[in-house]
Amino acid sequence: MNRTDTPVTVIGLGLMGQALAGAFLKAGHPTTVWNRTTAKADGLVARGARLAPTVGDAVRAGSLTIICVTDYQAVRELFGTGDVGLDGTTLVNLTSGDSAQARETARWAEQRGARYLDGAIMAVPPAIGTPEAVILHSGPQAHFDAHKPTLDALGTVTHLGADHGLASLYDVAGLAMMWSVLNAWLQGTALLRTAGVDAATYAPFAQRIAAGVAEWLPGYAEQIDSGSFPAEVSALETDARAMAHLVEESEAVGVNAELPKLFKAMADRSIAAGHGGEQYPVLIEEFSKPGPGDD
């Protein structure tokens, strides 16, 4: 159950930071805030938050400090001054960055005596404080468990593992899914527009296709994890022929074919490596190594 008497500090009051602080206030937590531009705290102060004069004062005010600033460099700059004592504090860094930065910042914080969790927010600011807001955390399980009742005020909070870099990796993996689905939908929409079909008409059909493909993921995951890719549904060489058809159709109607050509180039490399008779997830081998020009 959410302990509403736990004091919380929020550092960084952009749109997301304001939403985080607002959710803690709504849940009844004594909330201290700090931001370079103090005017951004006005609305929160009017709702009962306390505006701290310095970062050090803000950290001392709460048993849990949530950080949501521009980048990891800003975290170091804000917390690296002599005014900020971190010994015995718990920091939950919800700043966006990569997994290497997360691990490096964890070491930096722990060397200064802090308990550190890294996190990623998989939601837009208006969703914060609702179950639709998924907040990922990585770092020591004990640190997460100690503060989960408080963090629950933000939405659906999840602990991924002890590796501080996991939240950042899940974040970008989710972005890969999002952009891939959206780009595939835009490709299909562009194709159908050449025949006078509008996006609103195509969207429900595309939703059904996306949902159907999503049902394949658990079975495909088993193949990837076992390293065995029997062609139970379709062989990669069959899929490659369908990709060629998608490329040809796009070019024939004057639609950009870069995306389907990328699909086919990866499939062609896998087929050339002897995997044409295996199922589509065998392409994990292509995704798991640098692409052309990335070395």
Side-chain angles (χ1 to χ4, degrees), residues 17 75 114 137 180 195 214 227:
V75 173
H137 299 81
S180 295

Short mmCIF file of all heavy atoms in Angstrom, two decimals, residues 17 75 114 137 180 195 214 227:
data_model
loop_
_atom_site.label_atom_id
_atom_site.label_comp_id
_atom_site.label_asym_id
_atom_site.label_seq_id
_atom_site.Cartn_x
_atom_site.Cartn_y
_atom_site.Cartn_z
N GLY A 17 8.77 16.29 -15.17
CA GLY A 17 9.06 16.49 -13.75
C GLY A 17 7.88 17.06 -13.00
O GLY A 17 7.59 16.66 -11.86
N VAL A 75 22.86 15.71 -14.52
CA VAL A 75 22.80 15.05 -13.22
C VAL A 75 24.12 15.23 -12.48
O VAL A 75 24.16 15.62 -11.30
CB VAL A 75 22.47 13.55 -13.36
CG1 VAL A 75 22.57 12.84 -12.01
CG2 VAL A 75 21.09 13.35 -13.98
N ALA A 114 25.43 6.96 -2.10
CA ALA A 114 24.00 6.93 -2.41
C ALA A 114 23.54 5.53 -2.79
O ALA A 114 24.30 4.73 -3.34
CB ALA A 114 23.69 7.91 -3.54
N HIS A 137 12.39 0.34 -13.71
CA HIS A 137 13.50 0.59 -12.79
C HIS A 137 14.51 -0.54 -12.87
O HIS A 137 14.14 -1.71 -13.05
CB HIS A 137 13.00 0.69 -11.34
CG HIS A 137 12.05 1.80 -11.09
ND1 HIS A 137 10.70 1.71 -11.39
CD2 HIS A 137 12.22 3.04 -10.58
CE1 HIS A 137 10.10 2.84 -11.07
NE2 HIS A 137 11.00 3.67 -10.59
N SER A 180 9.10 1.02 -35.61
CA SER A 180 8.96 -0.01 -36.63
C SER A 180 7.50 -0.20 -37.01
O SER A 180 7.15 -0.29 -38.19
CB SER A 180 9.56 -1.34 -36.14
OG SER A 180 10.95 -1.22 -35.95
N ALA A 195 -4.34 4.22 -54.51
CA ALA A 195 -5.59 3.69 -55.04
C ALA A 195 -6.80 4.40 -54.46
O ALA A 195 -7.94 3.93 -54.59
CB ALA A 195 -5.69 2.19 -54.76
N ALA A 214 1.78 -9.72 -33.33
CA ALA A 214 2.21 -9.72 -31.93
C ALA A 214 1.99 -11.08 -31.28
O ALA A 214 2.74 -11.47 -30.37
CB ALA A 214 1.46 -8.63 -31.15
N GLY A 227 17.97 -21.11 -30.07
CA GLY A 227 18.92 -21.12 -31.18
C GLY A 227 18.53 -22.08 -32.28
O GLY A 227 19.35 -22.46 -33.12
#
